[in-house]
Amino acid sequence: MLKRLGTLLREADRLDETAFMAILSVFCFCTIIIRRFYTGYWGFIFLNWNLFLAFVPWALTSLSFIKPKIQRSALSIAILLIFWLLFFPNAPYIITDLFYLRAIKNMPVWYDTLMFLSYAWAGMLFGFFSLWDIEQILGRKLPKPLVTFFSGFLLFVGSFGIYIGRYLRWNTWDLFTRTSEILTDITDRFANPFEHKTTWGVTLFMGLFLNIVYWSFRLVKKRL
């Protein structure tokens, strides 16, 4: 089974990327294990769940390259985009877990800082790699300038999703189980924007930050 998976990943040009992200994820998990042995406390174990949620959008787009027929119809692409967008904010969301950096003061701050940054970096990579995949998929159907604009816009949408998760405490699956309540919260923020300054402050500045980081990656990629 592993051999078959390796073959599929190689054919989709995903083997190196998958191996690197697997190693990075294991490294992140090991930082939690080391912290457990040092403190005797399973602090910040939730980071592993958040990293799994960050993995989902990358897994969805990777599957579409392993199984190229997914990209052959507009309907399947639309379904992929919808589910990808529902999970995409979970990838950069881990950045906001830095809020907990000094919540539990039983470990050297330098260690917890590196641990949180490792998880945040892994989450952002999962998100950016998946966004690159979305660009490739859309690039076959749409003009390049439109795809470029769409990528930047999606990062702002993801930032709005980060706000919903961090400040309103909604989860992705709540969209299916508590749909009306989430839609009420979202609608209110569009209908009364001046009453929700934090909403648009977080969305704007987080969106700008993600765009800066993302397009920095793109510039670095051109230099390679």
Side-chain angles (χ1 to χ4, degrees), residues 58-74:
W58 177 81
L60 289 172
T61 58
S62 293
L63 181 62
S64 74
F65 281 86
I66 293 172
K67 301 289 185 180
K69 63 182 180 181
I70 294 175
Q71 301 182 29
R72 291 175 187 166
S73 74

Side-chain angles (χ1 to χ4, degrees), residues 113-163:
T113 300
L114 291 175
M115 180 183 71
F116 274 97
L117 288 175
S118 296
Y119 276 92
W121 184 252
M124 289 183 69
L125 285 180
F126 276 130
F128 289 161
F129 285 153
S130 71
L131 183 54
W132 276 331
D133 289 340
I134 294 296
E135 284 187 5
Q136 280 189 259
I137 295 170
L138 296 180
R140 301 188 183 108
K141 308 288 184 180
L142 302 172
K144 186 175 180 180
L146 185 57
V147 173
T148 299
F149 170 81
F150 196 56
S151 295
F153 174 73
L154 287 174
L155 290 170
F156 281 101
V157 173
S159 299
F160 184 72
I162 291 172
Y163 170 82

Side-chain angles (χ1 to χ4, degrees), residues 67-101:
K67 301 289 185 180
K69 63 182 180 181
I70 294 175
Q71 301 182 29
R72 291 175 187 166
S73 74
L75 177 61
S76 59
I77 291 175
I79 293 172
L80 171 65
L81 278 172
I82 291 170
F83 280 95
W84 175 84
L85 190 55
L86 289 178
F87 284 94
F88 173 68
N90 293 304
Y93 174 89
I94 304 181
I95 298 172
T96 65
D97 286 331
L98 288 164
F99 292 177
Y100 296 113
L101 186 56

